[in-house]
Amino acid sequence: MSHLKTAMITALLSATALVASPVVAKDLRIALQSDADVLDPDQSRTFVGRIVYASLCDKLVDITPNLEIIPQLATSWTTSEDGTSITMQLREGVVFHDGTPFNAEAVAANIERSQTMDESRRKSELASITSTEVTGGYEIKLNLAGPDATLLAQLADRAGMMVSPTAAAATGADFGLNPVCSGAFSFTERVAQDKIVLTKFEDYWNADEIHFDSVTFLPIPDTTVRLANLQSGDIDMLERLAATDLTQANGDDSIVVDSAVSLGYQGITFNLNNGEKGDNPWGNDNRLRQALSYAIDRVALNQVVFEGAFAPGNQSFPSTSPWYNTSFPVEPANIERARELLAEAGYPDGIELEVQVPNSTEPLAVMQVVQAMAAQAGIDISLTSKEFATLLSDQSAGDYTASQIGWSGRVDPDGNNHQFATTDGGINDSKFSDPKMDELLNAARVASGTAERKALYDEATAMMLDELPRLFLYHVNWIWAYDAKMKDFTPYPDGMIRLEGVTWEE
């Protein structure tokens, strides 16, 4: 073959390779609906924070899109016959971002931190663990107070995220300023309300599945601005595309839209006994909270704000969940009953209510519709818009009367209820407390079978709908939109963005 022919063939092959759009590494830019709170798995509570953790902090176990528990840092586990211990085999060859080795001692240190650190919100999630035993370099035994049907699901979330014991011991409650975990990306930089930058961790145990040099998370509260930035190429992906923007996104060939039904809820949380502000009419009388619930037409709310793309809801589980209490279906608004309850509570001429609401598009739209519906019953709602991390901080501190807030949902029903509704729940910002509720939700954690647990949750749900420390409104569909050059993204019902196996093709 002549040198000329060889050169021509080489050129053609090169051109073909370019047309084939090879996989490339790049810096991925993801727009979030709000900024994350503190980047410490033991202290944090925001949904967007969990999205960041999906790249930053590996967990002991993870879930599949079908909600099955699968290995991550723990490769296998066995539960004792009496259900009072779980022995885990741990992945070898894993290091934290600071070079500290991951092993059984590190797991024991993480569980101790989650259970004992004053600022930890994970205490109630891990309350069933009475002690840990390091039974080998990569084997640990979790001793339990009794059977705990929820524990593995907790370890598939923040309670199971492993942080470097070295960094945690050195920084204490300030760990979140420079978090050190063992995930696919390490922490590089954070500018509040602007960006969180993570860089690929070259020593990651599953590095072959990571195809981005870095990932930058950008808080952009306005849904229209998020989509405009995606269409202009300023970002590569956004989470929570507005239902009202679906038509526009679907009509753009350069954009892919994916969705998954959420495990969680959106609603209004009331301050019942959280500091001085808990001593208010709305916190002191459940009839007022019931009146507001009767005033809301949840089906109309879904149609008006979300064009019917979401699901009306009145419980912590969607109606499609096997845990839903069918004795209490979503009902139309009943303005007459709402007015009766206001009168019974001593407010025949109406009452005012201040609700704090996140300063992003959809929450504001939701509460404006609720505001109009409530007015028909004589409830005058005023809205105070706040940046989401500030709203959460004020809610935790008890500096609120009512708060429009939701929960992204958990695989096990315990995760949607226990920490919100038990007396010492880690994120019980209402400070709702009832011994009967504690009894029911604690019993559901150790019940032997699904039927027994369902009966307990049914009774607890009936109590929740009577007391209404949380007033449920709807259940979202997670909707992602991203550049069509991004390939192999898998939507999960928990709303997380998992980047393993995701590639970029120019």
Side-chain angles (χ1 to χ4, degrees), residues 268-292 342 345 347 351-355 398 400-403 428-433 466-471:
I268 300 171
T269 293
F270 290 91
N271 186 351
L272 271 59
N273 196 32
N274 190 350
E276 292 182 6
K277 282 202 169 183
D279 186 13
N280 70 82
W282 289 92
N284 295 337
D285 196 330
N286 65 334
R287 291 174 296 187
L288 296 179
R289 303 190 292 273
Q290 290 173 6
L292 177 58
L342 289 180
Y347 298 93
I351 185 173
E352 297 179 352
L353 171 64
E354 180 187 9
V355 181
Y400 79 108
T401 302
S403 184
N428 181 359
D429 292 337
S430 286
K431 300 303 179 188
F432 169 76
S433 178
D466 180 60
E467 291 291 343
L468 286 178
R470 294 176 293 165
L471 189 161

Side-chain angles (χ1 to χ4, degrees), residues 440-462:
L440 290 168
L441 294 181
N442 286 331
R445 284 187 156 184
V446 300
S448 58
T450 301
E452 185 181 350
R453 295 187 76 202
K454 175 67 163 64
L456 291 164
Y457 283 119
D458 277 352
E459 189 173 350
T461 295

Side-chain angles (χ1 to χ4, degrees), residues 401-423:
T401 302
S403 184
Q404 194 288 302
I405 195 167
W407 181 243
S408 53
R410 298 295 181 269
V411 177
D412 191 276
D414 178 87
N416 283 15
N417 293 290
H418 193 281
Q419 54 197 333
F420 297 98
T422 54
T423 299

Side-chain angles (χ1 to χ4, degrees), residues 239-419:
E239 57 95 15
R240 279 178 285 181
L241 178 74
T244 50
D245 289 334
L246 268 171
T247 301
Q248 181 180 348
N250 282 324
D252 188 331
D253 291 340
S254 69
I255 291 176
V256 176
V257 176
D258 264 328
S259 66
V261 178
S262 157
L263 301 171
Y265 63 83
Q266 286 288 327
I268 300 171
T269 293
F270 290 91
N271 186 351
L272 271 59
N273 196 32
N274 190 350
E276 292 182 6
K277 282 202 169 183
D279 186 13
N280 70 82
W282 289 92
N284 295 337
D285 196 330
N286 65 334
R287 291 174 296 187
L288 296 179
R289 303 190 292 273
Q290 290 173 6
L292 177 58
S293 184
Y294 275 112
I296 299 169
D297 186 329
R298 290 163 171 82
V299 173
L301 175 66
N302 180 42
Q303 290 294 336
V304 171
V305 181
F306 305 114
E307 298 185 6
F310 293 171
N314 66 338
Q315 300 178 31
S316 63
F317 325 111
S319 60
T320 52
S321 167
W323 304 101
Y324 187 80
N325 188 334
T326 56
S327 298
F328 300 96
V330 173
E331 296 181 345
N334 187 336
I335 300 299
E336 182 180 351
R337 180 59 183 148
R339 289 187 175 277
E340 288 175 358
L341 285 163
L342 289 180
E344 289 174 18
Y347 298 93
D349 298 323
I351 185 173
E352 297 179 352
L353 171 64
E354 180 187 9
V355 181
Q356 62 172 8
V357 58
N359 66 337
S360 47
T361 312
E362 288 184 354
L364 284 166
V366 165
M367 284 311 303
Q368 286 164 357
V369 173
V370 169
Q371 185 181 46
M373 291 175 172
Q376 298 178 67
I379 299 169
D380 181 13
I381 294 179
S382 61
L383 302 178
T384 302
S385 176
K386 297 182 180 181
E387 188 276 322
F388 189 62
T390 302
L391 178 146
L392 272 184
S393 177
D394 290 347
Q395 186 175 302
S396 297
D399 188 13
Y400 79 108
T401 302
S403 184
Q404 194 288 302
I405 195 167
W407 181 243
S408 53
R410 298 295 181 269
V411 177
D412 191 276
D414 178 87
N416 283 15
N417 293 290
H418 193 281
Q419 54 197 333

Side-chain angles (χ1 to χ4, degrees), residues 68 157 168 185 193 223 267 297 367 389 402:
E68 299 167 313
D157 202 343
F185 297 84
Q193 307 304 320
T223 55
D297 186 329
M367 284 311 303

